[in-house]
Amino acid sequence: MRCVVLDDYQGVALANADWSGLDVTVQREHLDDPAAELVDAECVVIMRERTPFDAALFARLPKLRLLITSGMRNAAIDLAAAREHGVTVCGTGSAKTPPTELTWALILGLARHLAVENAAFHAGGRWQSTVGVDLAGRTLGLLGFGHLGKAVARVGKAFGMDVVAWSQNLTADRVEAEGVRLASGLHDLLAQSDFASIHLVLSDRTRGLVDAAALACLKPTAFLVNTSRAAVVDPVALLEVLREKKIAGAGLDVFEVEPLPLTDSLRGLPNVLATPHLGYVTESNYRTYFTEAVEDVHAFLRGEPVRVLT
């Protein structure tokens, strides 16, 4: 079976699984229009939502029989179009801990100005130029309280933070069991937060949820962290509050366009601490992704597909 692995930025796909018996090609660079490279592919393995698969792309890939995504949810795949074109879509396992850990890397990096101080250290710059923000006694606001939100909350509690959470269907019983308070609404959550962290699934009702009015509720000393999905936050409004320093800064791991263009204004803002969508990028997760992707291929070839999404 001819397989193509897309967006293997680090060149680790082949080393993390046994692909023997399969005709595998790896693409390390992102392809804005992947159809030409995939025209003969029977199987395509994609990493999260790096390459969207919409109806138009499915229509240009007549030989495609199997599409495998890392994880068991991928909003960038048109599942209805996959069914229409007779393509089976399968997923893999995915750990919850890596995004939680990166969330805290961003929070701590913002609080202690790690990027600024590290850059000064290597450049022979000033010795101590910043004053860190304490976490103990500060309020951590969580927009979303699923598996990831709960895990982030537990770490916040360990730091001695007051943790408050909100989402549309969240109840007091669910948060109080974790020693967390329930905010009365989105604006109330953001107004209370010294650090506000987003942990929502992207959907029609969460797209653009954190708009200009919501961002205006944040204190000038507050930080916003997004390791969830970029589209939850209005990009124009976010850029404005960061440029005008209406908030202290933002920690970002997700972007509307990835890789982020070199000309994007976010790249020039000193109050942005950013990582290139590394939330899920760890050794254990990659082993799981690629090992189970190979399992998906062999199961499909046996006529017994596993972890089927459609």
Side-chain angles (χ1 to χ4, degrees):
M1 191 176 204
R2 175 156 166 67
C3 300
V4 178
V5 179
L6 292 181
D7 296 310
D8 182 17
Y9 296 155
Q10 296 91 350
V12 296
L14 298 183
N16 274 278
D18 180 4
W19 298 85
S20 57
L22 301 171
D23 177 11
V24 183
T25 300
V26 172
Q27 292 288 338
R28 291 197 58 181
E29 300 299 324
H30 179 72
L31 303 173
D32 290 329
D33 183 5
E37 298 293 333
L38 302 179
V39 68
D40 293 322
E42 299 170 277
C43 168
V44 175
V45 179
I46 59 176
M47 180 58 65
R48 306 301 298 139
E49 296 164 3
R50 291 176 186 174
T51 296
F53 265 70
D54 57 15
L57 183 54
F58 280 113
R60 297 171 67 190
L61 304 176
K63 296 184 180 180
L64 184 63
R65 300 161 56 200
L66 176 64
L67 178 64
I68 300 171
T69 175
S70 57
M72 290 299 292
R73 178 189 289 129
N74 191 326
I77 300 174
D78 186 332
L79 295 178
R83 287 191 293 270
E84 182 180 341
H85 287 85
V87 177
T88 300
V89 182
C90 298
T92 73
S94 183
K96 305 296 184 184
T97 49
T100 302
E101 293 167 358
L102 187 74
T103 296
W104 278 102
L106 290 172
I107 292 174
L108 290 166
L110 288 167
R112 302 305 295 269
H113 308 284
L114 294 188
V116 172
E117 295 291 5
N118 182 63
F121 177 87
H122 287 288
R126 186 170 181 173
W127 189 262
Q128 289 191 9
S129 64
T130 64
V131 177
V133 175
D134 296 281
L135 297 185
R138 298 299 175 93
T139 298
L140 171 65
L142 299 176
L143 181 48
F145 202 67
H147 293 295
L148 296 178
K150 286 181 181 179
V152 171
R154 290 166 188 155
V155 178
K157 297 284 289 182
F159 274 118
M161 300 185 78
D162 174 33
V163 184
V164 59
W166 178 86
S167 66
Q168 282 99 333
N169 297 321
L170 193 60
T171 63
D173 289 344
R174 286 177 55 196
V175 298
E176 288 171 0
E178 296 286 335
V180 173
R181 296 185 294 107
L182 178 66
S184 62
L186 172 62
H187 289 192
D188 177 43
L189 175 85
L190 296 177
Q192 294 187 57
S193 299
D194 296 300
F195 294 85
S197 188
I198 299 172
H199 302 283
L200 292 171
V201 174
L202 182 62
S203 65
D204 289 341
R205 69 176 182 175
T206 62
R207 185 179 297 275
L209 179 66
V210 182
D211 56 12
L215 290 170
C217 296
L218 287 166
K219 295 175 283 192
T221 55
F223 296 92
L224 180 71
V225 175
N226 190 1
T227 57
S228 177
R229 290 294 181 268
V232 174
V233 183
D234 182 320
V236 176
L238 177 61
L239 190 60
E240 180 182 354
V241 297
L242 289 168
R243 274 178 171 165
E244 299 298 322
K245 298 183 179 179
K246 294 179 179 178
I247 63 174
L252 305 175
D253 186 48
V254 288
F255 308 91
E256 287 273 24
V257 177
E258 297 181 5
L260 190 68
L262 296 177
T263 56
D264 193 284
S265 298
L266 285 173
R267 289 183 178 269
L269 296 179
N271 54 353
V272 172
L273 176 61
T275 47
H277 207 155
L278 296 178
Y280 56 87
V281 181
T282 65
E283 294 172 344
S284 62
N285 245 0
Y286 270 31
R287 280 195 298 271
T288 298
Y289 290 163
F290 294 118
T291 298
E292 294 194 1
V294 172
E295 291 175 0
D296 288 349
V297 175
H298 289 299
F300 176 82
L301 291 173
R302 292 194 305 269
E304 301 171 345
V306 295
R307 295 182 282 267
V308 178
L309 302 183
T310 183

